[in-house]
Structure formats: structure tokens, C-alpha cells
Amino acid sequence: MSTDIYRLTSRNRLMIADFLEGLDDRAWAAPTLCEGWTVRHLAAHLVQPMVIGFGRFLLAALRHRGDTDRTVDHLARRLARHPPADLIALLRQHAPDEVNPPRVGPMGPFAETCVHLRDIARPLGLSTDVPAEHWRILLGYLTSAGPRPAPALVPHGRLDGLRLAATDTDWAAGEGTLITGPIEALGMAATGRAAALSGLTGPGAAVLSARLRPH
């Protein structure tokens, strides 16, 4: 399974590089669904796992007192100093890299290629997306009863008691209150993107919406 995930991740990175190459300067400066990050920051973040080694990441984490979110933000902003063309070239160059981060494993980078592409494309009003099969694989992992997905992808309890069913492809999982919609919207909402909730219906949509509100 890991070999297949690495292959799909590599394919997605190349697709994202092609997508980014088609954006103009205004789009590169546009906000994404990742709060505080522009397209340029997110492009840098997609490159980060391949060009920042574990030792360098650990040193940055120590400077930020072990705060992973602050560390990731710091590294993304540093890498975003590179011109867009360089970030695209790095993404293409390192597309085949097999990254296996602690706690999330190969599914982490794969999930990022699926979700972050839409984090960029949705606010720009663009339909560019990974194949539906990739969302089926990712959602199958996110809704699995065991082993549970890493909290960085889906915090424990977010999808409890919900049945997710796609309306545009043959996929459903979970037991409980029904929530339906396009498989991309289900995947984006499951990973915490409130912007995707408008595309979902069913009594489960309100439950998930409440769980995504900041406490």
C-alpha cells in the first residue's frame, strides 16, 4: 500500500506544479483556505517535507518550544522567499521523494497533496482537483475505525457518529447521522475546512459544522 501511496503522491505533486505554473502573480499573492497563508506560502509548505531534513526541522522546533504549528509556519515563510519559479522547480524535482513523517506516515504527504491543492484552488474559484479515487483512498483512511488517523489530519471525535456518503461517486463510510455531498467537499470538511460545508447536506452537516467551530 505504501508503494502505491508514494506513487500517487508523486503524481499529485507534478499535477500541482503544473497548476501553479499556470497562475499569475496576483493569484500567487491570493489567500488560501489555510489561515494567514497565500498561495506562495502553501506552495513553499508543499516543498518543505522534501527539502527540510529532520535535523533542521527539529532545531526550528526547539526554537519555537516544540510548537509544531509555529515551526511549520516559520519554515513555510522562509521557503516562500524563493521565487515562484524556483518553488515549482523544487516541487517537480522532488516529486518522486518518498517522505514518511513520524506519526502520519506516507498518508500525511498524500493527504496534503489532495487537500492543499483545493486549499489553493477553491478560493480562486478553480475546479482543479485530484482524481476522485484519491479522495476515496484518503477518506477511507480518515474514517477508518483502526488504526485511527493522526490527529493532525482529523482530531479524534470529529467524525464520530457520522455516516459520510458521496453524491458524485460510489463511496460511503461510517455509522450514524447522514451527511452527503461531493466527495471532495466531504474530504475537505473532514480535514477541517469549513468552506466546504456549504456543499454538504443532511442532518450530519449541522453536526460537523458545530464540531468545526473554534472553541
Side-chain angles (χ1 to χ4, degrees):
M1 181 62 176
S2 293
T3 300
D4 291 338
I5 291 300
Y6 287 135
R7 178 176 53 81
L8 296 180
T9 302
S10 174
R11 185 183 302 172
N12 287 350
R13 287 177 183 144
L14 292 173
M15 181 180 68
I16 293 169
D18 290 344
F19 169 68
L20 291 172
E21 193 168 45
L23 301 180
D24 59 20
D25 291 344
R26 185 174 180 179
W28 274 82
T32 67
L33 294 185
C34 295
E35 186 176 357
W37 280 4
T38 64
V39 171
R40 190 163 178 167
H41 292 126
L42 201 37
H45 174 65
L46 286 165
V47 168
Q48 177 257 310
M50 292 89 80
V51 300
I52 302 293
F54 178 74
R56 186 175 167 191
F57 185 92
L58 182 60
L59 284 175
L62 290 173
R63 293 192 196 103
H64 291 91
R65 300 184 179 182
D67 189 320
T68 301
D69 289 341
R70 289 180 60 198
T71 302
V72 169
D73 181 73
H74 166 76
L75 293 172
R77 293 182 186 280
R78 285 187 64 87
L79 285 170
R81 297 174 185 174
H82 289 275
D86 288 358
L87 293 173
I88 293 168
L90 285 169
L91 192 56
R92 286 201 176 109
Q93 177 186 343
H94 292 280
D97 290 9
E98 297 183 354
V99 182
N100 187 1
R103 291 183 291 181
V104 294
M107 285 299 297
F110 173 69
E112 289 204 329
T113 60
C114 298
V115 175
H116 286 330
L117 171 57
R118 297 301 297 152
D119 283 333
I120 294 171
R122 266 181 168 264
L124 293 175
L126 300 175
S127 61
T128 309
D129 195 4
V130 298
E133 177 60 26
H134 294 205
W135 286 113
R136 281 194 287 267
I137 293 169
L138 178 56
L139 277 165
Y141 169 74
L142 297 179
T143 58
S144 173
R148 281 184 174 270
L153 294 175
V154 174
H156 294 167
R158 177 180 287 166
L159 301 179
D160 287 357
L162 294 176
R163 178 167 178 76
L164 282 62
T167 55
D168 56 346
T169 189
D170 183 20
W171 181 87
E175 298 294 336
T177 310
L178 182 64
I179 177 171
T180 63
I183 197 165
E184 177 266 353
L186 290 171
M188 293 296 283
T191 52
R193 276 61 181 176
L197 291 169
S198 62
L200 302 179
T201 57
V207 176
L208 184 55
S209 177
R211 291 176 181 176
L212 293 186
R213 292 191 195 115
H215 297 288

